[in-house]
Each structure stands twice: as C-alpha cells, then as structure tokens.
Amino acid sequence: MLGNTLAVPSIYFDNNATTPVEPEVLEAMLPFLTQQFGNPSSAHSFGSTAAQAVARARAEVAALVGASSEQVFFCSSATEGINWALSARSGNIITSEVEHAATLKVTAEAAPLGGQLTRLRVDRAGQISLDALEERLKAGSSTVAMMWANNETGVVCPIEPVADLCERYGAQLHVDAVQAAGKLPIDFSQLPISSMVISSHKLFGPKGAAALIAREPAQVATLIWGGGQERNRRSGTENVPAIVGFGAACARAARFLHARAEGVQKLRDTLETAILERVPKTWVNGAGSTRLANTTNIGFESIDAETLAGLLDADGIAVSTGSACHANTLEPSHVIRAMTGSYQQASESVRFSLSHLNTREEVDAVVDAVCSAVAQLR
Ligand code: PLP
C-alpha cells in the first residue's frame, strides 16, 4: 500500500501546482478503467461506448470555456498544448516575463523562425503595460502569448484589452488559461483569442489530460502523425479515463464556479490578513492587482522561503516557493523577480494556493504554524 510508505501532508495549500481528483470525477472515470476499456477507434460497441464518452467530455470541456466541441483538441498536458500552439509560429512574437516555463521556452527555443522575441516587463503589481504592448504590435508582430492568470501570484491579466489590441493590429493571441479555468468565468466565443490551453489536473481532474482550444480548428497544425485521432492533428489512442475525468471535472467546475470562488476567497483573505497582522515585515506580491480568489503569495523579510516551506512541510503543511512545474530548481521564482526586481525578495516569497476543499480550521492551523516557524527562523 502506497499510503503506508509515503508521507501525505495533512493540509494541502498547493492547489496551483495540482489538485486532488474529486470523488465524483473518479467515479465517472472508473468504468473506463475497468469494464469500458474499449478503444474509441474500434467499430464494435466497446469502441463506440468509449468514443461517446470522449465526445461527451469534449462537450463538457468546451462548455466550461464557452467554446464549441469542434474547437477542442485533447492532449496530455498544458505544456504539450502550449508547445503545440506556439512551436510552429513564425514572425515576431510578444510574450511577458512572468509566463510559465512552457511559454518562455518554446517561444525562445522553438518558435521564432527568423522573427524577433519580445518579453514585456511587468510592474510591481505583476501587470504588463498595454502601451508597451501596443508599441510592439505597431512594429509588427504575428503572435502574442499571454497567461490569463499567474500561477505563482494569482495576478489576473486584463485579457480583454490585450485581445482587443491584438485584433486591432492583426496579431494572433494565444492564452495560457490553465490557472483561470475553473476559477474565473471564461467565454472563448466572445473574445478575439486565437488559441487557449487548459489543464485537467489544475481543476480537480486527473493528470494526463489537457486541451488546446482553437478558434479555427482547420488551421491547427498536425502534432503527431499516425492513426488520425483528434481529427488527424494528434494521433495515438486517446487516454479515455483521463479525458472522461477531465470532462467531469469541467462540468463540476462550471456548475460550482461562483460558489467555489466565493468560499475560497473568504479562506484566502482570512489567511492573508492573519499572516500580515501577526507576522511583522511581510508583504503580498501582486497586492495591487485583481488576483485569483484562491492564491496569495507572501514575502517574509529576511526569511529563506525554502527553509520556511520545509518547516511547514515537516508540520504536514504543503505550500510552495515557485512553480512546481519548474521541477527540481532551487532558483527563486522568475515571476517575483520580474515583479520586484529583487532576487532577495523572490527568495523570501511563499505561495499559498487554496481550494474549496480547504477549511477554516486548516487556515487557522497554517497561520499558527507560519507564525511559529518564522519566530524560530528569525
Ligand atoms: N501554465 C500555467 C499557468 C501553469 O500553472 C502550469 C502548471 O503549473 C502549466 C501551464 C503547465 O501545465 P501542465 O502541468 O498541464 O503541463
């Protein structure tokens, strides 16, 4: 039994890294891991049951973000989706300094076939300047890649004016909506966004499923050649249980979007206020911006964030100091560095990302644990 050998944190405040699979989602998946194991491409009834389940999941994913089923292309992770959307781009590309590593790397390494790459700076609140974006667009750019909400700070990008500017100057906008999906209302049909990516494991679905959502499905480049799955764009037998779980998670996220955001905001605000009040010399990264309701990124002056996170971990409390997707790096967050201009402040910052599954008792326990860990370290 895994549970006997692995230490499981009792308080999980790292939901921007990944989320647990909700019981209802697991229930929806189980038949496709057991009796309904068919291959969606098979002509018999095992196959058609699986194909119908994938089609239903596609509709559920589309509904969460106001897209149509035809616009949804399944893949294995948002990282894959971002690479899919951006690696074939030519011409000038504009992105920002605070993007996820997938966007930063694919635009730097794979995308600009002869084009120029611009990474817009952000201010202390984590926002790009729309004027700077417009200046670059005027100089001629074909692609803009921006995240809707930041994974480390929860800072929300004003995606509507960004999309309007891109439309005005004829640039294609690709949006990393991984942290926004399930937390903010998204209506793809109403915004001039050319492509968008969301990920199952960030919204209480399983790992191994994500979606690239494309305005013009016919223009999506072929990523993998083979048996013709995903309308010939990404061949390979579908991960049916994960896709079914992704769909079920999206359906629940759509249904409970507002209730979850309201509940988690109360918990996050209580946590943030209590830490700022009880621990001297603390600040909130991105405080000047609209932020996701579940996220707070707090700086603790003259405390090494890694050590603080380690002490909390020893107390059974899971938090993070950077992007979990940036595996095994001890470099302090590039996001906080870009916002504050300070390596020091980045190395003193801890992210707490909550969910509707957390409780007020957990918040109180985390505040107490943070207070005593900081007292011990200072
Ligand atoms: N974009 C953002 C904003 C993220 O937070 C993450 C994961 O942390 C990703 C992209 C990558 O997602 P995935 O883990 O599905 O590859």
Side-chain angles (χ1 to χ4, degrees):
M1 283 275 290
L2 270 181
N4 290 339
T5 52
L6 294 180
V8 179
S10 51
I11 301 184
Y12 187 75
F13 277 17
D14 198 17
N15 288 278
N16 288 6
T18 194
T19 53
V21 173
E22 285 200 304
E24 296 82 354
V25 171
L26 179 62
E27 206 177 301
M29 294 170 66
L30 278 176
F32 297 93
L33 288 160
T34 51
Q35 307 93 326
Q36 302 295 349
F37 55 84
N39 182 330
S41 299
S42 298
H44 46 62
S45 63
F46 280 85
S48 56
T49 302
Q52 279 163 22
V54 170
R56 184 190 155 125
R58 200 182 300 280
E60 289 169 328
V61 170
L64 174 65
V65 295
S68 67
S69 283
E70 295 66 43
Q71 293 174 318
V72 173
F73 291 85
F74 286 124
C75 52
S76 68
S77 67
T79 298
E80 182 187 330
I82 290 167
N83 276 263
W84 193 356
L86 294 175
S87 59
R89 300 293 169 114
S90 57
N92 294 341
I93 297 180
I94 305 174
T95 184
S96 86
E97 284 184 325
V98 294
E99 299 303 310
H100 186 270
T103 300
L104 290 175
K105 289 196 183 158
V106 71
T107 52
E109 316 245 342
L113 306 168
Q116 218 191 8
L117 171 66
T118 303
R119 282 189 188 151
L120 296 174
R121 308 180 74 150
V122 295
D123 60 19
R124 178 120 208 155
Q127 298 292 349
I128 59 155
S129 146
L130 290 174
D131 289 342
L133 172 62
E134 186 164 9
E135 278 311 301
R136 291 307 307 170
L137 285 168
K138 272 187 194 154
S141 285
S142 50
T143 304
V144 174
M146 260 329 123
M147 57 180 17
W148 196 316
N150 189 276
N151 45 315
E152 298 192 31
T153 57
V155 166
V156 176
C157 166
I159 214 72
E160 291 85 354
V162 168
D164 289 344
L165 278 175
C166 291
E167 190 179 36
R168 188 171 334 145
Y169 291 95
Q172 297 210 325
L173 175 62
H174 168 77
V175 175
D176 173 348
V178 167
Q179 296 294 340
K183 298 180 188 134
L184 298 174
I186 296 180
D187 192 349
F188 187 70
S189 71
Q190 293 303 309
L191 286 168
I193 294 174
S194 53
S195 58
M196 195 166 81
V197 167
I198 70 172
S199 185
S200 162
H201 76 99
K202 307 286 185 179
L203 41 79
F204 308 94
K207 294 160 186 67
L212 169 65
I213 295 143
R215 172 85 37 213
E216 303 288 349
Q219 284 169 21
V220 171
T222 296
L223 182 69
I224 303 175
W225 297 95
Q229 288 87 350
E230 294 302 303
R231 284 148 290 156
N232 273 322
R233 302 308 196 291
R234 184 182 182 271
S235 290
T237 302
E238 298 88 341
N239 184 351
V240 178
I243 288 171
V244 166
F246 185 17
C250 286
R252 290 180 60 75
R255 191 163 150 214
F256 300 118
L257 190 84
H258 296 289
R260 283 178 179 180
E262 229 172 83
V264 83
Q265 172 140 16
K266 284 194 193 119
L267 295 177
R268 190 277 311 267
D269 289 349
T270 305
L271 174 82
E272 190 174 283
T273 309
I275 292 178
L276 293 187
E277 270 173 20
R278 289 179 53 190
V279 186
K281 298 187 186 150
T282 43
W283 72 90
V284 173
N285 291 303
S289 284
T290 302
R291 288 176 295 142
L292 293 175
N294 78 317
T295 310
T296 181
N297 189 305
I298 301 183
F300 297 84
E301 196 182 309
S302 60
I303 294 289
D304 177 51
E306 288 292 339
T307 312
L308 175 55
L311 286 178
L312 295 176
D313 190 32
D315 275 349
I317 296 167
V319 297
S320 94
T321 55
S323 168
C325 319
H326 228 119
N328 301 326
T329 172
L330 287 177
E331 275 291 292
S333 153
H334 70 284
V335 174
I336 310 299
R337 255 154 54 195
M339 288 165 67
T340 61
S342 161
Y343 190 93
Q344 173 83 21
Q345 289 188 15
S347 68
E348 295 170 344
S349 295
V350 175
R351 176 184 74 185
F352 302 82
S353 50
L354 284 66
S355 83
H356 60 280
L357 301 173
N358 292 125
T359 63
R360 175 60 203 258
E361 290 68 35
E362 289 180 328
V363 167
D364 293 342
V366 171
V367 173
D368 287 343
V370 167
C371 289
S372 55
V374 171
Q376 185 182 333
L377 293 171
R378 276 189 184 147

